[in-house]
Amino acid sequence: QLGGPGTKALFQSTHLGLLERLDLSANYLGTPTMLAIAESSQLTNLRELNLEANHIDDAGAVALLTSPRLASVRVFRLAGNP
């Protein structure tokens, strides 16, 4: 389960630079984690992001879908969120 202050640092890790698919489904993630993902400068190669069955509200979804840093993502999976 992700969350807390280390989440932002995690998504700034340079080890994420080659990642093309990320599945974080069913992790009870909320808006702070979505903002950390949306602000990450390391996910530029990401093509698919699965965030199904979390606790993503409208603000989190908007942050993800409008983030210029996630422009390469072609598949967002957001089913099962409020």
Side-chain angles (χ1 to χ4, degrees), residues 9-52:
L10 171 67
F11 290 109
Q12 292 303 326
S13 170
T14 57
H15 297 288
L16 300 176
L18 297 176
L19 195 63
E20 292 185 9
R21 292 188 184 111
L22 181 58
D23 185 344
L24 296 171
S25 59
N27 274 291
Y28 305 101
L29 305 175
T31 300
T33 302
M34 298 309 107
L35 296 176
I37 293 170
E39 294 169 0
S40 175
S41 60
Q42 301 302 319
L43 296 172
T44 55
N45 287 319
L46 198 63
R47 302 293 180 258
E48 183 176 337
L49 181 57
N50 184 350
L51 296 165
E52 294 177 337

Side-chain angles (χ1 to χ4, degrees), residues 38 59 61-70 76:
V62 168
L64 291 167
L65 297 172
T66 61
S67 172
R69 295 183 179 211
L70 297 176
F76 282 97

Side-chain angles (χ1 to χ4, degrees), residues 65-82:
L65 297 172
T66 61
S67 172
R69 295 183 179 211
L70 297 176
S72 63
V73 177
R74 298 294 174 240
V75 178
F76 282 97
R77 299 188 191 282
L78 299 172
N81 287 288

